[in-house]
Amino acid sequence: MRTSNTVRYCVLSFFMLCVGGRVALSQGVTNAAMSGRVTSKGEPLPGVNVIAVHEQSGTKYGTSTRVDGRFNLPNMRVGGPYMVTASIVGYKKEFREQLFLQLSQNLDVNFSLAEEGIETGEVVVTAERGALLSPDRTGAATSVSRMALQALPTVAGRIDDFTRLTPQAAGSSFAGQDNKMNNVTVDGSYFNNSFGLQGQPGDRTGVAPISLDAIEQVQVNIAPFDVRQGNFVGASVNTVTKSGTNEISGSAYYSFRHQGLVGTKAKDLAYNPGTFRYKKIGVRLGGPIIGDKLFLFASFEDDKLTQPGTTFLANTGGAPVGGNTTRVLASDLDRLSQFLKDTLKYETGSYQGYDFETPATRFIAKLDYSLNDRNKLSLRYNHLDSESDQLVSNSSSLGFGGRRSSTNSLNFRNSNYGIGENIRSIIGEWSSIIGDNMANNLIIGYSHHDESRTYRGSFFPLVDILQTGSVYTTFGFEPFTPNNELRYSSFQLQNNFTMYKDDHNLTLGASAERYESENVFFPGAQSVYIYNSLEAFYRDARGYVANPNRTTTNGRDSAARF
């Protein structure tokens, strides 16, 4: 049976190494390991049963020592505490308690057993916690434990607030590299902004894609020589989510920021900062479905950030231009808005005093199933819905440019737009120990991202109105938003097969990814007009052709697909 399993896994690994498409060893590490040697009177002791039990869940990992007395327990849950037992007929059983594992760590645990019925001196049981010169250490790495995630301060709730503990970090950039060159993984699956408009998930809308309350550990690797980690130039940012245990546990929380925390004066000058509100509600629950076997973990969060869309104000007449008071007359904007409504049936929206909102809903569900002490399965689903309001583009590639609110210009609210970031990610993992000297880890995953734009007003030409050579006001549909759609997805398959030899470990593996994207971009499809003054616009308005109901080429049929 052992020979059959060996052949089966070798064939599987070889097949994965040979699959077509882009193939590279580039997955993340999702677990930890233990290894060591069992001796008696200084001599290796083969055939010893070594069992490690994750005490909170009852999950067992078991193997036997080889001829040289060595053993390996790979693919173990991070955290702890663990109790490890070494036993064989004719020798006293020994155990070690309160052992904890960090992500990708290989903890060295050695036993020296005494023969049964023989009085001996001190029995030595040793465990080494990631020694500085450990041969199992695979390069510069910074690990952030659950305790650190809970204790250290954060405002945004994003892992950037913790990965900056890495000495080579500058924000989400590492070792001077663009953050788009990082490889972010969650539970071993790719979790990147693969289209490349931002560095990592959540950056498009500025939200956390996964609740911090759902994260067990985070690790940043800069230059690992572990063949299982790659596909990056900056750093590998590896996150492992929490799992359920035999104990039912959970949390419920509500947080908010009060408007009173916002300053209203600059020295002795009064200042209206606008509205700042933030509220978040969350709940987490974990526990057993079948004790010692099947566990569930789930986390849900909903939050919303409200902040000023603009703090610039129209001039009511005679007020000096400066601070947040513009040269743009409120009377001009009121007349223009009413004219567009009455004549062309277009609603401009307000030009000041409006808010931007960033709502986000995220949840995660995870199942862990311990088939036996040698086979473990896990399935995780992650979900994010988020959207963020944005000011109209300042680009002069369409229109005059410089149209965002400033002391020179005030645009109308319905010329702004929104960006969405919606993620669906599912990942399955099968970890197994084969015999006494082999192990396999298989990961299959799928993720889908939708970053299409949204808008407030109706479809209408964009109009820049100038005064003295610069933009005075802007109304109409944002120039780069018509049919601006972006969706992309990836399917991942990764496998690592490891053989433990006397002095070496041999890992054979492969990682394959199929990536697809669909992008629609019709800048200026609504048409763009520039007038040198309000008077010039009014003279032309009744005669110029504005058909807000016209259609463009069907976006989905004309998408760029890769």
Side-chain angles (χ1 to χ4, degrees), residues 203-251:
D203 283 355
R204 296 284 278 163
T205 52
V207 304
I210 298 177
S211 167
L212 283 179
D213 202 33
I215 295 177
E216 178 73 28
Q217 286 190 21
V218 178
Q219 187 179 71
V220 180
N221 284 282
I222 300 298
F225 54 83
D226 187 332
V227 296
R228 298 173 296 170
Q229 301 187 50
N231 199 29
F232 68 90
V233 175
S236 170
V237 182
N238 194 9
T239 300
V240 173
T241 57
K242 293 179 180 177
S243 297
T245 66
N246 278 328
E247 178 182 350
I248 298 177
S249 64
S251 65

Side-chain angles (χ1 to χ4, degrees), residues 259-276:
Q259 180 72 19
L261 297 174
V262 183
T264 58
K265 282 188 175 182
K267 288 191 175 181
D268 295 329
L269 299 176
Y271 175 74
N272 182 3
T275 302
F276 285 86

Side-chain angles (χ1 to χ4, degrees), residues 431-505:
S431 300
S432 58
I433 300 175
I434 309 163
D436 298 332
N437 67 333
M438 289 175 288
N440 196 76
N441 181 257
L442 173 66
I443 294 177
I444 300 176
Y446 174 80
S447 64
H448 178 78
H449 299 242
D450 189 337
E451 299 175 8
S452 302
R453 287 196 185 189
T454 59
Y455 51 88
R456 299 191 61 87
S458 58
F459 192 75
F460 194 83
L462 178 81
V463 179
D464 286 333
I465 295 178
L466 313 185
Q467 187 180 89
T468 62
S470 62
V471 173
Y472 186 70
T473 188
T474 296
F475 64 86
F477 203 91
E478 205 278 337
F480 302 99
T481 297
N483 292 103
N484 193 327
E485 303 173 31
L486 173 60
R487 288 168 287 271
Y488 55 92
S489 59
S490 64
F491 174 79
Q492 313 159 34
L493 190 149
Q494 306 158 8
N495 193 81
N496 284 311
F497 175 76
T498 303
M499 297 183 67
Y500 302 100
K501 312 301 289 184
D502 293 346
D503 297 319
H504 304 281
N505 298 336

Side-chain angles (χ1 to χ4, degrees), residues 115-180:
E115 294 183 16
E116 193 75 52
I118 299 177
E119 293 293 331
T120 65
E122 180 183 4
V123 176
V124 179
V125 182
T126 61
E128 180 184 12
R129 189 184 298 272
L132 184 63
L133 299 179
S134 168
D136 296 310
R137 192 173 284 273
T138 61
T142 299
S143 294
V144 184
S145 66
R146 183 197 302 185
M147 293 182 61
L149 292 171
Q150 293 174 341
L152 294 175
T154 175
V155 174
R158 292 164 58 87
I159 62 171
D160 296 358
D161 290 337
F162 304 95
T163 58
R164 65 184 180 184
L165 296 173
T166 303
Q168 299 88 349
S172 58
S173 170
F174 299 91
Q177 300 297 324
D178 191 301
N179 65 353
K180 297 182 183 66

Side-chain angles (χ1 to χ4, degrees), residues 308-312 351 354 356 388-395 403-406 410-419 453 478-481:
T310 178
T311 56
F312 287 99
Y351 52 81
Y354 57 84
F356 277 177
S388 178
D389 289 320
Q390 304 289 325
L391 282 170
V392 61
S393 170
N394 245 355
S395 173
R403 59 182 67 92
R404 284 183 181 173
S405 296
S406 66
L410 269 182
N411 68 280
F412 286 93
R413 184 180 190 180
N414 285 351
S415 296
N416 299 325
Y417 66 99
I419 288 181
R453 287 196 185 189
E478 205 278 337
F480 302 99
T481 297

